[in-house]
Amino acid sequence: MQRIKAEIEGAVRTLLLEKYGHPPERIVVEYPPNPSLGDLACPVAFELARTLRQPPRAIARDLAAALSPPRGVARVEAGGAGYLNIFLDRPSAVRELAREIDSPAGAPEGTGDKIIVEHTNINPNKAAHIGHLRNAVLGDSLARALRLLGRRVEVQNYIDDTGVQVADLLIGFREIRREGLEQVRAIEGRFDHVCWDLYARVTEMYGNDPKTRDLRPAMLKLLEEGGNELAELGAHVTRRIVNCHLDTMARIGVRYDLLPWESDILGHRFWDAAFTLLREKGAITRVEAGERAGCWVMALEGPGFENLKEGEKIIVRSNGTVTYVGKDIAYQMWKFGLLPADFRYRPFREEADGHRVWSTTRAPGEADHPAFGRGTTVYNVIDVRQAYLQAIVAEGLRALGHSGSADRSIHFAYEMVALTSRSAARLGAGGTEDAGDRGAVEMSGRKGLGVKADDLLDALETQAEREVRARNPDLDDAETTRLARAIAVGALRYFMIKNARTTLLVFDFDDALSFEGESGPYLQYSVVRSAGIFAKMAASGGPDEARATHWAMEGAFDLPPGEAAEEHWLLFMQMARFRETVAQAVDSLELSQIAKYAFTLAQSFNTFYHKYPVMKETDERWKRARVVLTRLFRAQMTRALDVMGIPVPSRM
């Protein structure tokens, strides 16, 4: 539909230029409310009526008569009070959609300018929690959507290994557990879970004895300087935790191309280069007196900074350490290719499917590595609480004269995650077991009041396994486990996407794992069911999926006019809008549009199939059309699930 709408717009623009010499700046091609009015409509005559001083309908009649229909359009008519009603060539449209599905326009590696999507970014001080799952699912789905649209995407997962959280954890190992590098190396089991508990104990220690917070500045300085015993311990701890994080994210199908480490930003002196540029441009100044004496600050003015008390932000502290926002400005400059320096790189690990995750390094690195960075657009997936800091990073780019890059530094903001009270109780995180209690229980990782991502996934898999066994008692244990994992991932990822990103997400087990209603398992079931239709047809000597694909490629959709044919066509038109929906979701950064599209399409197909079963149809033309629709539905729904990162099980 994107191609056809663009070509209609171009044809109308060309015609208006020939007839009137000045086409409107924007020509709209939209979907009419009633399919009898056409598959598409263009209201341009209403806008022309103001300047031509003619009735819109008369203008529309002239345009319809003169317009050369682009490829795929059967006819154009004047309708209503002045619309151009556009009717598609139906067999041609079916062929084009079938070919788009089986031969996507975008190559797997994508083309054109590079887009960088930075997401997850878990502090390497403890296990991932449920909030991190929402970040990772949104970021991963955005990258998948961009790739479906044929864009070249690089996914980065920034590791803040010199920040306050890591410093606090190291203080915990040194002051609470009294352990050094060798003792920490010997810790067995889920290391990130051990650190989860220890980090909560550090917070408790600070509360009981506030003077212990004085340990933090010295620890931060040691981490930033590197080359010392504490920095060596920090390197071991953070890399071990990051491996745990990658294991967790692999469970839900999330993977990365590059792990940039904050210590490498410091080690490669990126900040020094950024600092020099900011100072030379006058973007930062040194405070000479008062409480902030010795600090380097950035003046902040304009939209978003009106209520800032000091009117400036500290970029470098008086003791010489760089704040988070300072390091992030340097990192953002590197992502856009605005620094005269680059990292060195080495492989960090290889995933089960052979995908290699690369890491920055201060060691010599490998000469033969992918080209990282130098993106033209950067999406920073981080929660809404970071909007202020993200605005400062963009302001830093503007202060250096890179307004275009600042505009393309996009904060993909999202709200936090809570649990319904009954779900929190099930996971031992407070709340009540009352089945009707859906009140929100919010988490606090710093206080140890939260749910580890792995614990949530384990619980989802356990509940899904019970459902699979109830539905398929004859399945062996291995297959039951595989299905339960796929269903659990589908339940989690759909729930994380289906709600608007700027609303608090309150996760509920029963809603997420429901096989009916707006849930991941419902969508998975709809695809499995469509596959089952082909299996039954093939078993009875009917057309298999390969034959259905051939018919779709041949445009086998020639039905006599009537209500039944229009219902068939409406289902096709709904399927044809998938790619356009993905593009709109990316443009608006509202991936819930993809989830809503998939759910609505699944509902439409299930309703259609009940009314027009394929196997019972005796008329060959009708049966062929329904076989084609079933094939297109299965393919489009599989693509929609893939964009959302939802696996398709072999059965339900």
Side-chain angles (χ1 to χ4, degrees), residues 297-344:
V297 299
M298 177 187 292
L300 300 171
E301 301 175 352
F305 304 118
E306 299 91 345
N307 299 322
L308 186 63
K309 184 177 179 181
E310 297 86 2
E312 57 194 17
K313 176 68 177 178
I314 295 176
I315 305 299
V316 182
R317 303 179 186 94
S318 58
N319 66 358
T321 58
V322 186
T323 61
Y324 163 81
V325 72
K327 288 176 280 192
D328 209 29
I329 289 172
Y331 173 42
Q332 199 76 344
M333 290 173 67
W334 170 80
K335 283 189 283 188
F336 280 108
L338 302 176
L339 279 181
D342 197 4
F343 292 108
R344 291 191 288 271

Side-chain angles (χ1 to χ4, degrees), residues 82 137 149 164 181 219 293 295 298 356 386 467 582 608 617:
V137 168
L149 297 174
V164 170
L181 180 58
M219 182 64 73
C295 296
M298 177 187 292
R356 180 173 286 185
Q386 303 299 317
E467 185 70 27
V582 172
F608 176 86
E617 181 55 58

Side-chain angles (χ1 to χ4, degrees), residues 446-526:
R446 178 172 288 276
K447 297 178 182 178
L449 302 175
V451 175
K452 302 178 189 73
D454 288 308
D455 290 348
L456 175 63
L457 290 168
D458 289 345
L460 284 170
E461 288 181 14
T462 298
Q463 186 165 329
E465 188 169 319
R466 286 197 294 267
E467 185 70 27
V468 171
R469 289 191 186 281
R471 290 169 174 262
N472 304 277
D474 298 331
L475 282 184
D476 61 46
D477 289 345
E479 181 64 14
T480 298
T481 298
R482 279 194 295 272
L483 290 178
R485 286 175 178 168
I487 292 168
V489 171
L492 173 81
R493 291 195 61 135
Y494 187 79
F495 205 98
M496 292 291 177
I497 294 174
K498 75 173 185 176
N499 295 286
R501 62 186 172 89
T502 54
T503 60
L504 176 69
L505 179 67
V506 183
F507 187 87
D508 184 81
F509 272 91
D510 296 333
D511 288 350
L513 280 167
S514 173
F515 278 57
E516 298 178 356
E518 194 174 356
S519 70
Y522 174 75
L523 301 186
Q524 290 171 313
Y525 173 76
S526 71

Side-chain angles (χ1 to χ4, degrees), residues 134-420:
R134 189 177 199 191
N135 183 306
V137 168
L138 289 174
D140 182 65
S141 298
L142 174 63
R144 289 167 180 261
L146 287 164
R147 289 189 178 115
L148 180 124
L149 297 174
R151 306 303 299 274
R152 188 160 61 102
V153 181
E154 177 177 302
V155 177
Q156 298 183 8
N157 179 4
Y158 180 78
I159 311 298
D160 181 3
D161 59 330
T162 64
V164 170
Q165 291 81 3
V166 172
D168 286 348
L169 179 64
L170 296 183
I171 289 169
F173 277 116
R174 189 176 69 175
E175 302 296 326
I176 296 176
R177 290 178 64 111
R178 304 290 180 181
E179 293 177 339
L181 180 58
E182 292 307 312
Q183 292 90 346
V184 173
R185 286 181 193 264
I187 295 174
E188 298 180 349
R190 283 301 303 249
F191 185 69
D192 56 336
H193 291 196
V194 172
C195 294
W196 174 286
D197 296 332
L198 179 58
Y199 186 66
R201 291 176 65 189
V202 172
T203 302
E204 184 180 356
M205 179 182 73
Y206 288 161
N208 294 335
D209 184 3
K211 289 183 179 180
T212 55
R213 289 182 182 272
D214 296 340
L215 298 168
R216 185 186 282 168
M219 182 64 73
L220 282 169
K221 195 165 183 62
L222 288 169
L223 283 174
E224 289 193 9
E225 289 173 348
N228 54 69
E229 183 181 335
L230 266 299
E232 188 179 358
L233 174 61
H236 169 77
V237 167
T238 54
R239 276 153 179 76
R240 193 167 169 186
I241 291 176
V242 168
N243 261 308
C244 293
H245 291 167
L246 296 188
D247 289 341
T248 299
M249 296 307 159
R251 294 180 67 178
I252 60 170
V254 173
R255 67 185 192 182
Y256 312 90
D257 299 311
L258 178 67
L259 308 178
W261 294 73
E262 186 168 286
S263 57
D264 294 331
I265 290 178
L266 297 170
H268 285 285
R269 307 186 74 83
F270 280 13
W271 167 245
D272 292 352
F275 176 80
T276 299
L277 292 171
L278 287 165
R279 186 182 59 191
E280 290 175 350
K281 289 281 188 179
I284 58 174
T285 56
R286 191 174 188 273
V287 179
E288 299 298 338
E291 293 182 357
R292 297 185 168 200
C295 296
W296 287 86
V297 299
M298 177 187 292
L300 300 171
E301 301 175 352
F305 304 118
E306 299 91 345
N307 299 322
L308 186 63
K309 184 177 179 181
E310 297 86 2
E312 57 194 17
K313 176 68 177 178
I314 295 176
I315 305 299
V316 182
R317 303 179 186 94
S318 58
N319 66 358
T321 58
V322 186
T323 61
Y324 163 81
V325 72
K327 288 176 280 192
D328 209 29
I329 289 172
Y331 173 42
Q332 199 76 344
M333 290 173 67
W334 170 80
K335 283 189 283 188
F336 280 108
L338 302 176
L339 279 181
D342 197 4
F343 292 108
R344 291 191 288 271
Y345 305 93
R346 67 180 180 186
F348 186 78
R349 64 187 249 171
E350 192 166 292
E351 305 292 5
D353 62 357
H355 177 73
R356 180 173 286 185
V357 182
W358 287 80
S359 168
T360 61
T361 180
R362 279 172 285 177
E366 291 193 7
D368 186 17
H369 62 79
F372 293 112
R374 297 189 175 276
T376 56
T377 301
V378 175
Y379 291 95
N380 307 292
V381 184
I382 191 165
D383 69 67
V384 294
R385 297 174 301 178
Q386 303 299 317
Y388 167 65
L389 294 178
Q390 286 292 308
I392 296 174
V393 171
E395 190 65 21
L397 296 178
R398 287 193 181 89
L400 289 167
H402 302 296
S403 295
S405 295
D407 292 339
R408 295 189 299 276
S409 177
I410 301 168
H411 179 199
F412 186 166
Y414 64 92
E415 259 293 354
M416 307 306 292
V417 179
L419 293 168
T420 58

